[in-house]
Amino acid sequence: MPGGSRELYAQVAAEELDAALMVRPPDGIPKALTVREIETQRYVLVGAQQGSASEGLIVYERTTWGGRLAWDYILRTMPKTKIACEMDDPQVIALLAASGLGRAILPQWRGLAKVPGLSIDEIDLAPERKIVLATRGQLNALDRLLLKALVQ
């Protein structure tokens, strides 16, 4: 089931889902849930490889857990940057940045480098987002199998 991390987390906590792949919750994890880290994604600055790109920033939505990390970094290091727009889908943001509509601070997920025309630059003191598998209680055999497949 697709969804934002906050919603998926709530569904696992409410026992509506058995497991969820999501950004690690920023405010702690109740004892009833088990969280296993899948990967750590460092944030990078992305923009168009060629041509004149807009100087505006495409902001990863501040209300999302992953977006909050990017926004905190922007406030610390780029406080006077003009914001072009804000949205909650990093893949769409990467496509917009590659087309020259602006730059963005995004987590470097496995497929980011495959976005055509996208320039990816490391940034100093970059935040990191942790992708986790959240389940209720201890991992069962199916959870362990899923975890093994995700970590490879």
Side-chain angles (χ1 to χ4, degrees):
M1 166 179 290
S5 294
R6 182 177 287 127
E7 294 78 20
L8 294 171
Y9 174 79
Q11 289 175 316
V12 171
E15 299 184 38
E16 296 168 8
L17 289 176
D18 294 326
L21 195 58
M22 62 189 182
V23 174
R24 183 178 181 84
D27 300 323
I29 299 160
K31 290 180 183 180
L33 295 184
T34 299
V35 172
R36 298 285 192 263
E37 187 174 320
I38 303 298
E39 70 179 12
T40 298
Q41 300 170 339
R42 189 178 165 104
Y43 282 67
V44 292
L45 177 66
V46 300
Q49 282 180 346
Q50 309 239 332
S52 59
S54 165
E55 286 303 312
L57 199 62
I58 306 166
V59 175
Y60 181 9
E61 188 178 331
R62 297 170 253 198
T63 62
T64 65
W65 292 342
R68 183 189 315 181
L69 293 167
W71 183 246
D72 289 346
Y73 178 84
I74 292 164
L75 288 177
R76 276 194 331 272
T77 63
M78 312 164 81
K80 297 185 186 231
T81 302
K82 178 183 168 195
I83 296 175
C85 66
E86 184 171 351
M87 53 185 36
D88 68 354
D89 188 335
Q91 292 174 321
V92 172
I93 294 170
L95 291 170
L96 292 174
S99 72
L101 293 176
R103 299 171 302 141
I105 303 293
L106 291 176
Q108 192 168 15
W109 72 89
R110 293 178 191 181
L112 186 62
K114 295 178 184 172
V115 175
L118 189 67
S119 169
I120 301 171
D121 296 308
E122 299 287 324
I123 54 178
D124 293 332
L125 303 171
E128 295 178 335
R129 112 178 153 168
K130 309 246 186 239
I131 303 300
V132 299
L133 175 68
T135 60
R136 290 200 55 80
Q138 296 302 313
L139 295 177
N140 62 35
L142 183 58
D143 296 334
R144 285 191 295 276
L145 183 61
L146 177 59
L147 186 59
K148 184 177 178 182
L150 290 170
V151 173
Q152 290 180 351

